[in-house]
Amino acid sequence: MTAFAELSVTSNFSFLRGGSHPEELVRQAAELGLSGIAITDRNTLAGVVRGHVMAREIGFAYAIGCRLVFRDGTPDILAWPRDRASYGRLCRLLTLGNRRAEKGQCHLDLGDLLDWGAGMMLAIVPGIGLDECLNNTIARLKDMFADNLRLTIARPYGARDHRRMAQLARTAGHFGVPLLATNDVLYHAPERRPLQDVLTCIREKKILVSAGHLLQANAERHLKNPADIARLFRDFPEAIVESRALLERLTFSLDEIRYQYPNEPTGDAASPQEALEKFTEAGAAERYPDGVPAKVRKSLRHELKLIGECAYAPYFLTVHDIIRFARSKEILCQGRGSAANSAVCFCLGITEVDPELSDLLFERFVSLERNEPPDIDVDFEHERREEVMQYIYEKYGRHRTGLAATVITYRSRSALREVGKVFGLSEDTLGALSGTVWGWSSGKVPDHEISRIGLDPSEATIRQVLDLSAEIAGFPRHLSQHVGGFVVTHDRLDEIVPVANAAMEDRTIVEWDKDDLNALRILKVDVLALGMLSCIRRAFAFMEAHYDHRPTIAKICSKEDHAVYAMLQRADSLGTFQVESRAQMSMLPRLKPKKFYDLVIEVAIVRPGPIQGGMVHPYLRRRQGLEDVVYPSPSPLHGHPDELRDVLGKTLGVPLFQEQAMRIAIVAAGFTPGEADQLRRAMATFRRVGTIGTFRAKMIDGMAARGYQGDFAERCFSQIEGFGDYGFPESHAASFAILVYVSAWLKCHYPDVFCAALLNAQPMGFYAPAQIVRDTRDHGVVVRPVDINASNWDCTLEEDGDDNAARLHPRHATMKDDIRSNHAVRLGLRQIKGFSERDAETLVDIRGKGYDSVRDLWLRSSLSRAVIERLADADAFRSIGLDRRDALWAVRGLGGDKTRLPLFDVAALADIRREPDFELPPMPIGEHVVNDYRYLSLSLKAHPVSFLRQRLAARGIVPNETLDGTSSGRRVLVAGLVLVRQRPGTASGVVFMTIEDETGIANAVVWPKVFERFRPVILGARLVAITGRLQSESGVIHVIANRLEDLTPMLVSLCEESGDLEALAHADEVRRPLVDMREKIGPASRLVRLAREEPGIIKDLVEIATKAGKVMPKGRNFH
Amino acid sequence: MIPTLATSEEDSAADRILLEKLADWSERYTPLVTLDPANGLILDITGATHLFGGEEALLVDLGARLDDQGFLPRAAIADTPGAACAAARFGAASVVPVGGSARMLEPLPLAALRLDQETVSALDRVGLKRIGQIVGAPRAPLAARFGSTLIRRLDQALGQEEEAITPRRPAPPLIAERRFAEPIVREEDIAATLTSLAATLGSSLEARGLGARALELALFRVDGFVARTTVGTSRPIRAAGLILDLFREKFAGLGESFDAGFGFDTIRLAVHATAPSDAAQIDLTGEAVAEADLDQLVDRIGARIGVNRIGRIVRRASHIPERAETFVAPDDEGLVKKNGALPSTDPSEAIDRPLRLLARPEPVEAIAEVPDGPPVHFRWRRALYRIVRAEGPERIASEWWRDDELSRDYFRVEDASGHRFWLFREGLYERETATPRWYLHGVFA
């Protein structure tokens, strides 16, 4: 059989052109029996590493290259580097093209190739016209590249294939350039044609029916086996032979990239290793003033030896240097992830997890066997990370520094949207369709969801849209910058990988993402941003300013504070790091954390890994003493019965952390550490191509063979699968637990400081400012409104004579002696929606002794009338005796023209005085509250639901706070504003809702069946009534919903004078979503009859409902 | 939210057309009609109500007729356009008694004053929600804060400020009219009148260097019915004969439905659109005339059978040969683009396609090499052809999103006597079907 290598392959990293993943292409090529393959994407090397990794895995001949596409009319040219040097030049060439173009574009001219092409093999891909331009290109290149130049011929099954090939053969003969046979591949198999057509339409912004000749006429651009190729090119056998011959000359492999970490001068130390040892020693002495414990000393010795062997010292020094810089600028930072397994990192101040107190697994971080670089992730305050990034650019220079890329891929929702658009579906249908997908899930949309939105799932177009969007999910869409992964190199970065412009000015990204970099062992430092660190830094500043107290993270963590744990045990964790989510809150009272390690478990347990592995309940039962702690053991023939005790001892025999699952694979299933690691990576990166099955069998069979129960083995594997998405090692949990503890400590002892810091660090976390403020007030802190004479941009602390503790809400009564705060929180101007920081600064700067009227503010500041009106909307003029309406009236009377001369001002003033009095109706308190929500997204005056209490009571609805005293199993009826709707992917369709009334929060669980029945209510209501059964377990109270009702129309009444409410009584008949009534009204609708009788109602309802409904929080949706 | 709720997308252009049609229709009540977008009409019925038996009766008549047409009308009569709009959109009263506007307006929301959303919400925010709240209030502070429009709208609604409505049909630029003491019935008389009216208009047009692009003939029947006939022309005309011809075609097209009843007492010919037209100069080759002839032909055929039935065939972007052409209006370039048609032809492609494409591919029996070789023999309409030359295959796969047909392998073949055919094999051997079938789809010259 003829040997053939396909050397012209467009993968889906030629965005919206290629119809297959590089991995698929490589695998298919191997299966078809080709001699080899080269991935050649359009002006990019973004996909080559993935193909490389796959080829390495299956042992297949693989070359890399690039299809150069020019802007000067030159036909496309395939370029394959033959050696490291020409590879470097190819990177330089692409970088040049990238950098001179906008993000995502690459501008190249033939001249550039002549400049940089030395050493490459080239092949010209003739365009449609075989004209002078082609001849000229051949002539120019032939001159320089001599026998390194080829001309490709292809058989696309067009009308003129044979004539074309004959003509090309003549041309090739004329210039003495060999022909190269290729199929100019766009996808690995013919079944991908529809998908490739859809991609073309997305790219060209066309719909299928009118895309016409933009689409390929047939499905022939797939990988073909050597026999087919031999038949197609039977008149040109030499062109087939050439493919093989060419491949043999392409000896360059990506593994040759000898990556060198920057070797910065290391002071007086002889080598980086020596410098690292010195820094570590000094750091250890600081960490352990009473002498370094033996255990730590041993770890340090072991780690330093390994680091030396792998020559990673410069990398540690770089991170150390960055940390030192941050510390010198008082930027809070902390390492996370597997680096927290390292005693060296602890001593260098990179991480905070004390190796003395925990068992660290350094091999998880650095190992000889794994052959993969360590990955140090450091979190910085999110507001000051930029300073750190600029420092790195400055220190190492832009030619050596770049950000890792993130491959943005299609998710279910975006895929549905774009594919639907290509099929010409209407905006409404698209919206409805993509609405069936929750969050970022990548699962398929079930048929019943489709019928639910009024579409027929079996209808051909809908079917095609669904199938194709499922297929397209996971396809790369474009490259974006990684949140903070810096690649720093010793030599030029752009000779290792092409560099491109990022969306942000002055940022450059490399074309590879973190998996690619890992696969080639290129080191990167993750400079990440963490909102909680900003919050903590702000809190520390408040502590210093108002309490003359200078805490640090280390100082707070140095001793275990019972009060903090007591608070957490009551699930009083709103605002704290990580453990504030609904799921965490329901876990806290069950887990009852008593010591730091419990927090580590708390952070790790509510994760897909343990949940999918079914490990959560066994662990809780054992912790609560309901179940004996036993360790699964092998049959006595195969090993020591306690072989897992070492692995699972700390977690009561239940595996919770990623490390433990890996250790089980090794200890119980007989994996080598290398295999275990392959398994882990297979989960994370190879899901695309599905090599998981073999590992699964190996693990389950391995454990079964050694006498473990099948069920336990299954669960361990499911857990590893769960970790695939969000690997959560113990060290990472430990780093996070530190921040959990610090934030909880602040909340416990200084709720005023915590609240102000948290509000100033928004947006972050799970809850909106309204809930943070409410919770703070429950903890006895006075919160004062935004005011022109008192507020700064940020929230501030003000003296408050009274003792905070005295005002504690009864439910927090136990904290009476723990609360040390005595200040009030003044809300900042940042709380006003649409108010800019610049305007706030102006307002504060010239405030002086205060403003005494709206006019005074207007005259003295240069703020526009619209800005002042916004202040009035926010009710910020109370300190001068004006409520919202009076202030608005005054603002609108200012006159619009901003050109003011003192003289005219006086005249205008006199004019105003002469203005007749105008009696404005007082604003009802309910309307004030609604307006507070509208402009501040919270209200200090009252809770909106409090105005409805009487009407709610008439329906038998009880306040949320009464649930505490209700016995489990009772039927209850509660109502409140919807704060959070959450449908975790791990909870099989269960929806969690959190609602809030004036007395507190209630949590509801909605089972799928109920969800289906009340879907519109659950998704649409701002105010909802829930009927259900109360379930109370270890102090965790849930309402298991069986009926939901949308009460949003009730909110309408808040902003109308009470007399008008009755006019809306008819709304009850209509009951459902007011907003939808703006749609055309079908003739059969009951609404029409209603409208016939009471015509004003439609307009009224729509307008008022949008008005009141809109300002109330929609509730946050979490996945 | 509600899966069973039938929804359709808003088509504001269509809504607008509907409203225009309604306005046309409502000219039966008064010629003074204006649109109140997006869904209202304002009729000035001053002095017209007696024809319908008074205001109440007019309203009932109008309501009933609109109801019959499937609308849900909301109508009101009041002293001023402003008050009538407010009553119709926000109130309940159908006929506001003379002088009763103020009372009717007071409880209505301020939006009833036809104010923009921004003003309404600004008023709302200071607590001013009902018209009653501002009726007696001092004007200056209101005007200073919310603009003079507010005051003007209020005054207009209350009748304190005159508001004239602008009729939607602007007076035609040119009009010629003849009234008859004795109604005329015979077609010849109408034609004669038309000719003389056209001649009158023609000389006015010539004097201005204009030609008519749209003409309307209105025949007012003694019983009140108005027969309106409009013709458009593809180029400006002004010759009385041409104008008469166009209307003749139109009437011929209408056939029997043309009903003179008791006769017409007024005939009005109006020019609605004009375009510059210089005195015609025919060049020596006579080409201008030929072109003009074609246009006139299109106009005449169009006037009789409807312009939308005349079209021409253009190429369309599709790989499927029978879908590669489409039918468009003679002069509609926009439509050409919308249908995905290609304005011009790439000449090099012409050789790939036969001169004549059969309306429907005809099955043939053929012998060919597998999997995708050209046919050696084929039999079409009982005659056997031996192929001596072939080129192909050109593979054209089905438009998968539309149907699930098989791929086709097209061959251009030449038989021993030099005839050329376009054949295709339907279905890829083994990949799509075990037994591909053959068709003849076209013949080359």
Side-chain angles (χ1 to χ4, degrees), chain A residues 552-601:
Chain A
T552 63
I553 291 181
K555 260 195 257 174
I556 291 176
C557 289
S558 65
K559 78 177 200 329
E560 304 264 39
D561 184 338
H562 174 70
V564 174
Y565 292 109
M567 180 186 82
L568 289 177
Q569 286 175 13
R570 293 188 298 114
D572 182 8
S573 63
L574 192 149
T576 56
F577 188 60
Q578 288 279 321
V579 296
E580 62 165 351
S581 77
R582 169 71 187 276
Q584 292 278 7
M585 272 195 185
S586 61
M587 191 60 69
L588 282 167
R590 297 181 197 174
L591 201 88
K592 291 211 185 303
K594 292 184 205 60
K595 55 183 199 296
F596 182 73
Y597 193 75
D598 295 339
L599 293 182
V600 178
I601 289 175

Coordinates of all heavy atoms in Angstrom, one line a residue, chain A residues 552-601:
Chain A
T552 N -2.6 40.9 61.7 CA -2.1 40.3 60.4 C -2.8 39.0 60.3 O -3.3 38.4 61.3 CB -0.6 40.1 60.4 OG1 -0.3 39.1 61.4 CG2 0.2 41.4 60.7
I553 N -2.7 38.4 59.1 CA -3.3 37.1 58.9 C -2.7 36.1 59.8 O -3.4 35.3 60.5 CB -3.2 36.7 57.4 CG1 -4.0 37.6 56.5 CG2 -3.5 35.2 57.2 CD1 -4.0 37.2 55.0
A554 N -1.4 36.1 59.9 CA -0.7 35.2 60.7 C -1.1 35.3 62.2 O -1.3 34.3 62.9 CB 0.8 35.3 60.5
K555 N -1.1 36.6 62.6 CA -1.5 36.8 64.1 C -2.9 36.3 64.4 O -3.1 35.6 65.4 CB -1.4 38.3 64.4 CG -0.1 38.7 65.0 CD -0.2 40.1 65.7 CE 0.5 41.1 64.8 NZ 0.3 42.5 65.3
I556 N -3.8 36.5 63.5 CA -5.2 36.1 63.8 C -5.2 34.6 63.8 O -5.9 34.0 64.6 CB -6.1 36.6 62.7 CG1 -6.3 38.1 62.8 CG2 -7.5 36.0 62.8 CD1 -7.1 38.8 61.8
C557 N -4.4 33.9 62.9 CA -4.5 32.5 62.8 C -3.7 31.8 63.9 O -3.7 30.6 64.0 CB -4.0 32.0 61.4 SG -5.1 32.4 60.1
S558 N -2.9 32.6 64.6 CA -2.0 31.9 65.5 C -2.7 31.2 66.7 O -2.1 30.3 67.3 CB -1.0 32.9 66.1 OG -1.7 33.9 66.9
K559 N -3.9 31.6 67.0 CA -4.5 30.8 68.0 C -6.0 30.5 67.7 O -6.6 31.3 67.0 CB -4.4 31.4 69.4 CG -5.3 32.6 69.7 CD -5.0 32.9 71.2 CE -6.0 33.7 71.9 NZ -6.9 34.7 71.5
E560 N -6.5 29.4 68.1 CA -7.8 29.0 67.8 C -8.8 29.7 68.7 O -8.7 29.7 69.9 CB -8.0 27.5 67.9 CG -7.0 26.7 67.1 CD -7.6 26.2 65.8 OE1 -8.4 27.0 65.2 OE2 -7.4 25.1 65.4
D561 N -9.8 30.4 68.1 CA -10.7 31.2 68.9 C -12.0 30.5 68.9 O -12.7 30.4 67.9 CB -10.8 32.6 68.2 CG -11.6 33.6 69.0 OD1 -12.5 33.1 69.8 OD2 -11.5 34.8 68.7
H562 N -12.4 30.2 70.1 CA -13.7 29.4 70.2 C -14.9 30.2 69.7 O -15.8 29.6 69.0 CB -13.9 29.0 71.6 CG -15.2 28.3 71.8 ND1 -15.5 27.1 71.3 CD2 -16.4 28.8 72.4 CE1 -16.7 26.7 71.6 NE2 -17.3 27.7 72.2
A563 N -14.9 31.5 69.9 CA -16.1 32.3 69.5 C -16.3 32.2 68.0 O -17.4 32.1 67.6 CB -15.9 33.7 70.0
V564 N -15.2 32.2 67.3 CA -15.3 32.1 65.8 C -16.0 30.8 65.4 O -16.9 30.8 64.6 CB -13.9 32.3 65.2 CG1 -14.0 32.1 63.7 CG2 -13.3 33.6 65.5
Y565 N -15.6 29.7 66.0 CA -16.1 28.4 65.6 C -17.6 28.4 66.1 O -18.5 27.8 65.4 CB -15.3 27.3 66.2 CG -14.0 27.2 65.6 CD1 -12.8 27.5 66.3 CD2 -13.9 26.8 64.2 CE1 -11.6 27.5 65.7 CE2 -12.6 26.7 63.6 CZ -11.5 27.0 64.3 OH -10.2 27.0 63.7
A566 N -17.9 29.0 67.2 CA -19.3 28.9 67.7 C -20.2 29.6 66.7 O -21.3 29.2 66.4 CB -19.4 29.6 69.1
M567 N -19.7 30.7 66.2 CA -20.5 31.5 65.2 C -20.7 30.7 63.9 O -21.8 30.5 63.4 CB -19.7 32.8 64.9 CG -20.5 33.7 63.8 SD -19.5 35.1 63.4 CE -18.4 34.4 62.2
L568 N -19.6 30.1 63.5 CA -19.7 29.3 62.2 C -20.6 28.1 62.4 O -21.4 27.7 61.5 CB -18.3 28.8 61.8 CG -17.4 29.9 61.2 CD1 -16.1 29.4 60.9 CD2 -18.1 30.6 60.0
Q569 N -20.6 27.5 63.6 CA -21.5 26.3 63.8 C -22.9 26.7 63.7 O -23.8 25.8 63.4 CB -21.2 25.8 65.3 CG -19.9 25.0 65.3 CD -19.6 24.6 66.7 OE1 -20.4 24.6 67.6 NE2 -18.3 24.1 66.9
R570 N -23.3 27.9 64.0 CA -24.6 28.4 63.8 C -24.9 28.8 62.4 O -26.0 29.3 62.1 CB -24.9 29.6 64.7 CG -24.9 29.2 66.2 CD -25.4 30.4 67.0 NE -24.5 31.6 66.8 CZ -24.9 32.7 66.2 NH1 -26.1 32.9 65.8 NH2 -24.1 33.7 66.1
A571 N -24.0 28.5 61.5 CA -24.1 28.9 60.1 C -24.3 30.4 59.9 O -24.9 30.9 59.0 CB -25.3 28.2 59.4
D572 N -23.8 31.1 60.9 CA -23.8 32.6 60.8 C -22.6 33.0 60.0 O -21.6 33.5 60.6 CB -23.8 33.2 62.3 CG -23.9 34.7 62.3 OD1 -24.1 35.3 61.2 OD2 -23.7 35.3 63.3
S573 N -22.6 32.8 58.7 CA -21.4 32.9 58.0 C -21.5 33.9 56.8 O -20.7 33.9 55.9 CB -20.9 31.6 57.5 OG -21.9 31.0 56.6
L574 N -22.6 34.6 56.7 CA -22.9 35.5 55.6 C -21.7 36.4 55.4 O -21.3 37.1 56.3 CB -24.2 36.2 55.8 CG -24.7 37.0 54.6 CD1 -26.3 37.0 54.6 CD2 -24.2 38.4 54.5
G575 N -21.2 36.5 54.2 CA -20.1 37.4 53.9 C -18.7 36.8 54.1 O -17.7 37.3 53.5
T576 N -18.6 35.7 54.8 CA -17.3 35.1 55.0 C -16.8 34.4 53.7 O -17.6 34.2 52.8 CB -17.3 34.1 56.1 OG1 -18.2 33.1 55.8 CG2 -17.6 34.7 57.4
F577 N -15.5 34.2 53.7 CA -14.9 33.6 52.5 C -15.4 32.1 52.4 O -15.4 31.3 53.3 CB -13.4 33.6 52.6 CG -12.7 33.2 51.4 CD1 -12.9 33.9 50.2 CD2 -11.8 32.1 51.4 CE1 -12.2 33.5 49.0 CE2 -11.1 31.8 50.2 CZ -11.3 32.4 49.1
Q578 N -15.8 31.7 51.1 CA -16.1 30.3 50.8 C -17.3 29.7 51.5 O -18.1 29.0 50.9 CB -14.9 29.4 51.0 CG -13.8 29.7 50.0 CD -14.1 28.9 48.7 OE1 -14.6 27.8 48.7 NE2 -13.9 29.6 47.6
V579 N -17.4 29.9 52.8 CA -18.4 29.1 53.5 C -19.7 29.8 53.7 O -20.6 29.5 54.5 CB -17.9 28.6 55.0 CG1 -16.8 27.7 54.8 CG2 -17.6 29.8 55.8
E580 N -19.9 30.8 52.8 CA -21.2 31.6 52.9 C -22.3 31.1 52.0 O -23.4 31.5 52.1 CB -20.9 33.1 52.7 CG -20.4 33.3 51.2 CD -20.5 34.8 50.8 OE1 -21.1 35.6 51.5 OE2 -20.0 35.1 49.7
S581 N -21.9 30.2 51.1 CA -22.9 29.7 50.1 C -24.0 28.9 50.8 O -23.8 28.4 51.9 CB -22.3 28.9 49.0 OG -22.0 27.6 49.5
R582 N -25.1 28.8 50.1 CA -26.2 28.1 50.7 C -25.8 26.7 51.1 O -26.1 26.2 52.2 CB -27.3 28.1 49.6 CG -28.4 27.2 49.8 CD -29.3 27.7 50.9 NE -30.3 26.7 51.2 CZ -31.4 26.6 50.5 NH1 -31.7 27.4 49.5 NH2 -32.3 25.6 50.8
A583 N -25.1 26.0 50.2 CA -24.7 24.6 50.5 C -23.8 24.6 51.7 O -23.9 23.7 52.6 CB -24.0 24.0 49.3
Q584 N -22.8 25.5 51.8 CA -21.9 25.5 52.9 C -22.7 25.8 54.2 O -22.4 25.3 55.2 CB -20.9 26.6 52.7 CG -19.9 26.3 51.5 CD -18.8 25.3 51.9 OE1 -18.8 24.8 53.0 NE2 -17.9 25.1 51.0
M585 N -23.6 26.7 54.1 CA -24.4 27.1 55.3 C -25.2 25.9 55.8 O -25.4 25.8 57.0 CB -25.3 28.3 55.0 CG -24.7 29.6 55.1 SD -26.0 30.8 55.1 CE -25.1 32.4 55.1
S586 N -25.6 25.1 54.9 CA -26.4 24.0 55.5 C -25.4 22.9 56.0 O -25.8 22.0 56.7 CB -27.4 23.4 54.5 OG -26.7 23.0 53.3
M587 N -24.2 23.0 55.6 CA -23.2 22.0 56.0 C -22.6 22.3 57.4 O -22.4 21.5 58.2 CB -22.1 21.9 55.0 CG -21.1 20.8 55.2 SD -21.9 19.2 55.0 CE -22.3 19.2 53.3
L588 N -22.5 23.6 57.6 CA -21.8 24.1 58.9 C -22.4 23.5 60.2 O -21.7 22.9 61.0 CB -21.8 25.6 58.9 CG -20.7 26.3 58.1 CD1 -21.0 27.8 57.9 CD2 -19.3 26.0 58.6
P589 N -23.8 23.6 60.3 CA -24.3 23.1 61.6 C -24.2 21.6 61.7 O -24.2 21.0 62.8 CB -25.8 23.4 61.5 CG -25.9 24.5 60.4 CD -24.8 24.2 59.5
R590 N -24.0 20.9 60.6 CA -23.9 19.4 60.6 C -22.4 19.1 60.9 O -22.1 18.2 61.7 CB -24.3 18.8 59.3 CG -25.7 19.0 59.0 CD -26.1 18.4 57.7 NE -27.4 19.0 57.3 CZ -28.0 18.7 56.2 NH1 -27.4 17.9 55.3 NH2 -29.1 19.3 55.8
L591 N -21.5 19.8 60.3 CA -20.1 19.5 60.5 C -19.6 20.0 61.8 O -18.6 19.5 62.4 CB -19.3 20.1 59.3 CG -18.0 19.5 59.1 CD1 -18.1 18.3 58.1 CD2 -17.0 20.5 58.5
K592 N -20.2 21.1 62.3 CA -19.8 21.7 63.5 C -18.3 21.9 63.7 O -17.6 21.2 64.5 CB -20.3 20.9 64.7 CG -21.9 21.0 64.9 CD -22.3 20.9 66.3 CE -23.8 20.8 66.5 NZ -24.5 22.0 65.9
P593 N -17.7 22.8 62.9 CA -16.2 22.9 63.0 C -15.8 23.4 64.3 O -16.4 24.3 64.9 CB -15.9 24.0 61.9 CG -17.2 24.7 61.7 CD -18.3 23.7 61.9
K594 N -14.7 22.8 64.9 CA -14.2 23.1 66.2 C -12.8 23.5 66.1 O -12.2 24.1 67.0 CB -14.3 21.9 67.1 CG -15.7 21.5 67.5 CD -15.7 20.4 68.5 CE -17.0 19.6 68.5 NZ -17.3 18.9 67.2
K595 N -12.1 23.2 65.0 CA -10.7 23.5 64.9 C -10.4 23.8 63.5 O -11.2 23.5 62.6 CB -9.8 22.4 65.5 CG -10.1 21.0 64.9 CD -9.2 20.0 65.6 CE -9.0 18.7 64.8 NZ -10.3 18.0 64.6
F596 N -9.2 24.3 63.3 CA -8.8 24.7 61.9 C -9.0 23.7 60.9 O -9.5 23.9 59.8 CB -7.4 25.3 61.9 CG -7.0 25.8 60.6 CD1 -7.5 27.0 60.1 CD2 -6.1 25.1 59.7 CE1 -7.1 27.5 58.9 CE2 -5.8 25.5 58.5 CZ -6.2 26.7 58.1
Y597 N -8.6 22.4 61.2 CA -8.6 21.4 60.2 C -10.0 21.1 59.8 O -10.3 20.7 58.6 CB -7.9 20.1 60.7 CG -7.7 19.1 59.6 CD1 -6.7 19.4 58.6 CD2 -8.5 18.0 59.4 CE1 -6.5 18.5 57.6 CE2 -8.3 17.2 58.3 CZ -7.3 17.4 57.4 OH -7.1 16.6 56.3
D598 N -11.0 21.4 60.7 CA -12.4 21.2 60.3 C -12.8 22.1 59.2 O -13.6 21.8 58.3 CB -13.3 21.4 61.5 CG -13.1 20.3 62.6 OD1 -12.6 19.3 62.2 OD2 -13.5 20.6 63.7
L599 N -12.2 23.3 59.2 CA -12.5 24.3 58.1 C -11.9 23.8 56.8 O -12.5 24.0 55.8 CB -11.9 25.7 58.5 CG -12.6 26.4 59.7 CD1 -11.9 27.8 59.9 CD2 -14.1 26.5 59.5
V600 N -10.8 23.2 56.9 CA -10.2 22.7 55.7 C -11.1 21.7 55.0 O -11.4 21.7 53.8 CB -8.8 22.0 56.0 CG1 -8.2 21.4 54.7 CG2 -7.8 23.0 56.6
I601 N -11.7 20.8 55.9 CA -12.6 19.8 55.4 C -13.9 20.5 54.9 O -14.4 20.2 53.8 CB -13.0 18.8 56.5 CG1 -11.7 17.9 56.7 CG2 -14.2 18.0 56.2 CD1 -11.9 16.9 57.9

